[in-house]
Amino acid sequence: MLKIAVLGCGRIGRMHAENINSHQRATLVGVYDVVKEASRSVAQKLGVREFESAAEIFASAEVDAVLIATSTATHADFIEQAVAAGKPILCEKPIDLSLARVRCCAARIAGSDVPIMLGFVRRFDTGHRAVRQAIEAGQIGELHQVVITSRDPDIAPDAYIEVSGGIFRDMTIHDFDMARFILGEEIETVTAAGARLVSPALMERCDDWDTVSVLMTTASGKQCVIGNSRRAVYGYDQRVEAFGNEGMAISENRTESNLRLSRATFTDQAPPLQNFFIERYAQAFASEIDAFVNAVEKGVAPEVGFDDGEKALMLAEAALLSVREGRTVRMEELG
Ligand SMILES: NC(=O)c1ccc[n+]([C@@H]2O[C@H](COP(=O)([O-])OP(=O)(O)OC[C@H]3O[C@@H](n4cnc5c(N)ncnc54)[C@H](O)[C@@H]3O)[C@@H](O)[C@H]2O)c1
């Protein structure tokens, strides 16, 4: 049994704690949150230990591995501390909002063989993964284009947007990782457009955009287009499409049931889309824990690591630069 402790008992930490607790080859040793009530309620609900500090977790011989689900600004520090303590890490995305801080963290942990997995959960969605597998199996021939659509059901509260780091680092970051995962090769150029159509005043104040499109190309000429909106009135819109010279593979939205209703006045009416990420990616979040446990047990590198976190953030920086300067950005500009 892999004994895991969870840092951070907010919206996502609580869910991870429950997933670890119900995993067959992992045990939730305990939890810690800087807000006592948050860790206490999870500890009591799941019958596990409430740690007094992060340092207590890193020093504990009872803890084999850690899951970092605290606020983004703490991730890089906790990664460094966990590496120093020799505890394998599953860390929520992003590593940090600053590329300089991510690179400083990379330098500090260089040479360590402590496994680090980044929580790019969408790679573990069976639908999105099946698109990648179809490409690998040659089912669509040579890959030419990828289209990723990712729209939130509604804009987050102002307080969240204000500290989010902007749409590219906060939201599109998942799609940048999905683009790399589906394309299977590195991206060379990024061209992005941003607009303030959902909440213009808030976006103006935060110097951010709520509606963005990104066009990326690879050295071999493959193209990927990402479309994001902070608000889709019909719900959490999550689709991935891969187009090749011999076919196409699509990972579609998921609805609450498979029912499709047709009547005299309409056809194919479906139940609402699964809302929001905790529901839509429930299977993926559970599979992500499973992938982490497997990697640590087998002593192999996790399939999505620190490097992937840095590369996704570099793509976010490139997109930001592209919108600000109204031009195509070459990835080599980011060093
Ligand atoms: N993979 C995904 O799809 C996904 C979705 C949502 C959030 N996230 C990421 O997960 C992280 C947490 O997001 P959330 O929505 O759960 O936020 P949240 O605000 O609900 O929870 C964060 C928790 O961390 C705690 N915390 C902050 N600083 C701490 C510290 N120094 N020590 C211990 N606890 C501390 C806070 O008290 C809070 O309870 C963020 O980095 C976010 O980007 C990932």
Side-chain angles (χ1 to χ4, degrees):
M1 288 294 238
L2 185 72
K3 292 173 277 173
I4 307 176
V6 170
L7 291 106
C9 297
R11 180 170 75 140
I12 207 147
R14 286 195 296 270
M15 179 212 54
H16 282 310
E18 299 210 3
N19 282 341
I20 293 168
N21 206 33
S22 56
H23 193 281
Q24 295 203 322
R25 296 185 325 285
T27 315
L28 180 69
V29 188
V31 295
Y32 167 67
D33 195 292
V34 73
V35 175
K36 283 278 151 221
E37 302 77 63
S39 37
R40 188 150 308 147
S41 73
V42 176
Q44 283 175 356
K45 182 176 177 203
L46 301 178
V48 299
R49 179 172 165 189
E50 186 191 347
F51 283 93
E52 292 301 318
S53 66
E56 193 183 14
I57 289 183
F58 297 130
S60 172
E62 273 179 62
V63 177
D64 295 330
V66 295
L67 189 152
I68 301 170
T70 44
S71 319
T72 300
T74 64
H75 293 182
D77 287 351
F78 284 151
I79 287 174
E80 289 165 12
Q81 289 166 34
V83 165
K87 313 274 189 209
I89 302 154
L90 170 51
C91 182
E92 263 308 336
K93 50 59 55 182
I95 300 170
D96 196 89
L97 294 176
S98 149
L99 189 54
R101 179 66 185 97
V102 171
R103 287 177 170 166
C104 164
C105 181
R108 287 184 182 160
I109 62 171
S112 149
D113 59 0
V114 173
I116 305 179
M117 176 162 159
L118 242 284
F120 282 126
V121 65
R122 296 182 193 176
R123 287 191 185 217
F124 300 95
D125 176 75
T126 49
H128 300 346
R129 220 172 162 78
V131 171
R132 177 75 211 142
Q133 284 157 354
I135 297 165
E136 280 169 352
Q139 288 178 303
I140 65 164
E142 187 186 291
L143 179 64
H144 287 178
Q145 289 176 318
V146 176
V147 180
I148 299 171
T149 303
S150 177
R151 302 185 179 117
D152 279 357
D154 204 352
I155 192 158
D158 289 19
Y160 177 94
I161 298 287
E162 281 159 7
V163 297
S164 69
I167 190 166
F168 293 119
R169 297 190 192 101
D170 174 54
M171 185 171 165
T172 329
I173 192 113
H174 277 291
D175 308 305
F176 288 129
D177 182 66
M178 184 53 55
R180 294 184 59 246
F181 177 58
I182 299 288
L183 286 165
E185 62 184 85
E186 293 302 340
I187 288 153
E188 275 202 347
T189 72
V190 176
T191 314
R196 296 166 176 158
L197 305 177
V198 174
S199 189
L202 173 64
M203 292 301 132
E204 195 72 44
R205 182 152 53 82
C206 299
D207 192 19
D208 197 2
W209 304 276
D210 49 38
T211 308
V212 297
S213 296
V214 186
L215 166 64
M216 296 171 293
T217 61
T218 70
S220 69
K222 295 183 178 63
Q223 300 164 0
C224 176
V225 174
I226 296 172
N228 288 160
S229 170
R230 288 279 193 188
R231 181 184 292 146
V233 291
Y234 52 87
Y236 191 38
D237 189 1
Q238 297 289 300
R239 289 170 282 143
V240 174
E241 175 185 306
F243 170 79
N245 65 341
E246 290 176 16
M248 175 173 72
I250 300 182
S251 172
E252 260 298 350
N253 275 314
R254 294 216 183 133
T255 52
E256 287 166 11
S257 83
N258 287 332
L259 179 73
R260 294 291 180 274
L261 188 65
S262 296
R263 287 174 54 87
T265 50
F266 57 81
T267 59
D268 261 341
Q269 191 183 73
L273 299 182
Q274 284 180 319
N275 253 357
F276 184 25
F277 59 89
I278 301 256
E279 293 77 22
R280 169 62 180 82
Y281 288 112
Q283 164 272 315
F285 279 116
S287 298
E288 179 182 64
I289 298 293
D290 194 47
F292 178 61
V293 173
N294 277 338
V296 177
E297 272 178 349
K298 291 187 181 138
V300 297
E303 127 172 16
V304 49
F306 190 98
D307 195 41
D308 297 298
E310 180 176 349
K311 285 182 171 151
L313 189 61
M314 284 169 69
L315 289 166
E317 295 296 328
L320 194 59
L321 195 60
S322 172
V323 180
R324 290 222 169 112
E325 297 188 0
R327 65 177 178 93
T328 294
V329 173
R330 297 193 66 81
M331 288 311 293
E332 65 211 19
E333 293 179 45
L334 284 124

